[in-house]
Amino acid sequence: MTPLPTAHLRQLSEKVGFDLVGFARAEPIPPETLFDWLESGCAADMDWMGSRAAERLDVSKLLPGARTVIAFATNYYRDEPRAEDSPIARYARSRDYHSTLRDKLKAYRKLFSAAYPGVRHYGSVDSGPLMEKVWAARAGLGYVGKNGCFITEPFGSWVLLSALILDAEVDVYAGGPASDRCGHCRKCIMSCPTGALLGQGRVDARACLSYQTIENRDAEVPESFRMEMDNIVFGCDICQDVCPLNRGPVFTPNERFSPRAVAELGVMELAALTPEQYEQLIPGTPLARARYDGLRRNAVYALGAMKQAEARSLLETLSQDPSEQVRHAAKWALLHLDA
Ligand code: B12
Ligand code: SF4
Ligand code: SF4
């Protein structure tokens, strides 16, 4: 079969609104990085990271005969002054990006299938067993910075990734990751409040506030980390905010990334969220992953970390909350107000 023309595949990408696209050979990923990370416990309790390791390292396990991985990056940075002080990470302030990117990928696949009906493909947005940063790097879209994030030249790290595997070759492949622009800088490593950045782009999820506030829904957040949750309720952007390569972000016009009403709430309002407000504000946003009690637990920790004296009566009420984790968090925060 003649290799598919990347010029045309790029046109299709532009048509559906991806910001960057690149092409990598679907060669297996050397296993060391993933296995070292898993074996040293950096995945915390995200068992799903290890359970499908074979597929993560070899995309031909996902699509037999895989030859090419198309990597896409989508800029999500919105200029929204009303949400600027939000304790919610930037990516989570709008509609769930999974649905936004899945719609784009679906549109791409439709155009692709119409043009190349004999080629099989497998798409993934975040939750698939695929190492998206590795594919984006191999496809030449940028590189993984010391902050563990994928950094592009035009948009910095304010991009979300997705990928499409093909069982056909294309005419031109990227030469590998873009050159590293971190140099001697270590700002992200020095600014991470919990020491989660281990160097060379490696992140210890156990110590990362993003993990603790999004994925760790059941266990308590270790006390030393809670104390660092200053205006942090869901996700964390500190290591991206301090990065000089993120100066001068490009604002996306994509309305699907515009902040929802929840992004206007402060820590106190999030801690005081009623079930009715939760139902009105949260479903359809990434915050739903933390669930009602997890989100309030995080906000309560943040009130303690911030020593918000005016939160005392709210915390007293929450220390009688039906949810055990909210109760515990409120008792801790009350003690911390007085410490
Ligand atoms: C698990 C996970 C997490 C974990 C662990 C983070 C991590 N860095 O591993 C937690 C919960 C902490 C997390 C947090 C966040 N995440 Co997350 N996460 C993932 C997920 C599901 C898997 C990442 C993974 O495989 N990690 C395992 C390690 C071993 O692999 P790695 O991350 O690729 O890093 C190594 C390799 O890339 C290797 N490497 C570097 N260059 C090259 C080049 C080549 C050729 C090779 C072979 C290898 C290689 O070195 C790196 C360090 O060891 C991906 C989605 C996906 N399916 O890929 C999203 C993803 C990485 N997350 C994303 C986001 C947005 C975030 C947050 C910014 C959210 C937030 N604001 O709170 C934070 C950022 C925290 C940080 N500083 O990294 C985006 C990243 C976008 C970007 N520009 O980088 C992704 C890609 C989701 C998406 N579809 O867009 N996340
Ligand atoms: S997201 Fe926050 S806690 Fe995690 S590595 Fe970056 S600065 Fe550290
Ligand atoms: S802050 Fe500095 S070291 Fe960290 S990712 Fe940005 S440029 Fe690299």
Side-chain angles (χ1 to χ4, degrees):
M1 188 180 187
T2 351
L4 309 181
T6 44
H8 181 233
L9 298 177
R10 283 180 188 281
Q11 275 172 18
L12 300 186
S13 165
E14 219 168 289
K15 215 174 205 166
V16 303
F18 285 117
D19 291 304
L20 298 173
V21 59
F23 305 88
R25 287 188 196 281
E27 288 161 356
I29 296 172
E32 298 78 25
T33 319
L34 180 61
F35 285 151
D36 287 353
W37 188 75
L38 290 169
E39 279 158 21
S40 55
C42 289
D45 71 348
M46 294 183 289
D47 298 338
W48 42 271
M49 282 298 303
S51 60
R52 297 183 72 183
E55 284 134 303
R56 280 180 205 281
L57 295 170
D58 184 359
V59 290
S60 72
K61 300 231 169 4
L62 295 168
L63 180 77
R67 306 302 285 268
T68 302
V69 177
I70 312 186
F72 303 101
T74 305
N75 171 24
Y76 64 97
Y77 198 99
R78 290 279 301 192
D79 178 25
E80 295 285 349
R82 280 181 313 163
E84 212 43 60
D85 297 328
S86 170
I88 299 166
R90 201 167 273 282
Y91 89 94
R93 295 176 189 169
S94 55
R95 182 181 179 148
D96 192 342
Y97 76 91
H98 293 92
S99 69
T100 302
L101 295 194
R102 272 185 202 130
D103 287 353
K104 274 190 203 293
L105 201 57
K106 205 165 150 196
Y108 189 89
R109 295 175 79 171
K110 201 166 162 200
L111 294 174
F112 181 93
S113 288
Y116 309 104
V119 179
R120 290 186 310 135
H121 38 92
Y122 175 104
S124 175
V125 175
D126 187 53
S127 50
L130 212 81
M131 297 186 73
E132 293 178 335
K133 283 184 268 174
V134 172
W135 290 111
R138 282 183 164 178
L141 304 188
Y143 75 101
V144 179
K146 287 179 199 159
N147 61 3
C149 294
F150 190 77
I151 304 179
T152 69
E153 171 105 44
F155 308 109
S157 61
W158 304 115
V159 291
L160 295 163
L161 304 176
S162 46
L164 188 68
I165 311 168
L166 310 178
D167 69 352
E169 300 218 318
V170 299
D171 58 1
V172 188
Y173 289 96
S179 52
D180 185 317
R181 290 183 292 140
C182 286
H184 295 299
C185 175
R186 287 171 53 86
K187 276 197 165 156
C188 50
I189 295 176
M190 305 306 286
S191 310
C192 173
T194 48
L197 296 173
L198 306 178
Q200 296 176 323
R202 208 169 135 113
V203 181
D204 184 345
R206 291 168 295 192
C208 179
L209 294 179
S210 178
Y211 166 81
Q212 291 292 349
T213 56
I214 300 173
E215 303 291 340
N216 182 13
R217 286 171 299 200
D218 302 321
E220 293 191 334
V221 172
E223 183 156 11
S224 61
F225 300 155
R226 280 179 220 166
M227 286 171 26
E228 303 300 337
M229 287 172 63
D230 183 349
N231 204 36
I232 288 182
V233 171
F234 186 89
C236 171
D237 282 339
I238 295 173
C239 54
Q240 297 188 87
D241 282 334
V242 300
C243 177
L245 302 175
N246 276 339
R247 271 186 211 138
V250 178
F251 303 138
T252 175
N254 189 340
E255 282 299 323
R256 285 179 71 159
F257 289 118
S258 71
R260 288 196 163 184
V262 68
E264 289 175 41
L265 304 186
V267 178
M268 188 100 133
E269 289 150 313
L270 286 164
L273 214 59
T274 63
E276 294 72 31
Q277 288 170 322
Y278 180 90
E279 280 313 315
Q280 207 187 338
L281 295 169
I282 307 298
T285 72
L287 302 167
R289 193 161 173 87
R291 305 201 194 112
Y292 179 54
D293 292 339
L295 197 60
R296 291 187 306 139
R297 175 206 70 170
N298 292 347
V300 168
Y301 282 147
L303 287 174
M306 295 158 86
K307 291 190 185 285
Q308 292 245 326
E310 60 277 28
R312 185 176 299 279
S313 100
L314 171 65
L315 290 172
E316 277 163 359
T317 309
L318 292 175
S319 65
Q320 308 297 321
D321 195 81
S323 153
E324 192 185 336
Q325 48 174 331
V326 173
R327 265 196 326 269
H328 277 178
K331 284 175 188 161
W332 172 80
L334 278 168
L335 281 178
H336 205 58
L337 284 191
D338 300 326

